Amino acid sequence: MPWRNTGWLQEALLAFTLAGAVFMGFIAKVAAEIKSGERDSFFTKRLLLDVPALIVMCVIAAGINIWFGLDGWPSTSVAVVCGWAGPRSIDVILMAVADRVRGGK
């Protein structure tokens, strides 16, 4: 069937897969926070604040995959790591790299 091989369908499936992988990484992080006592339960007001962060992490994961030309399992791994790390961790890592490149700390 020719409609299965069109570009828009492949892009939609890729976006859906990356979003699922980011969500799974996020779920793992929340479960670890609940176990360590940082969160009281899964369904909290903080969870609502994390939803926009999940969307941002999907976009970041897609950008990293396009930048490095990743396909298949490596691209899914990048998405899971982005979901686990979250935007705050990515910001800290990028600022540390920027300081090192500039010759700072």
Side-chain angles (χ1 to χ4, degrees), residues 52-63:
L54 285 174
I55 296 168
V56 169
M57 294 315 296
C58 289
V59 173
I60 289 173

Side-chain angles (χ1 to χ4, degrees), residues 38-53:
E38 293 178 40
R39 287 186 191 231
D40 296 331
S41 66
F42 184 79
F43 295 106
T44 61
K45 291 182 180 180
R46 183 177 169 192
L47 184 66
L48 293 176
L49 296 174
D50 288 333
V51 171

Side-chain angles (χ1 to χ4, degrees), residues 3 12-13 23 27 32 46 50-51 59 62 66 68 71-75 81-82 91-92 95 97 100:
W3 61 270
L13 289 174
F23 184 70
I27 293 293
R46 183 177 169 192
D50 288 333
V51 171
V59 173
I66 290 170
F68 289 110
D71 293 325
W73 286 107
S75 67
V81 169
C82 284
D91 183 48
V92 168
M95 289 299 114
V97 169
R100 185 173 180 126

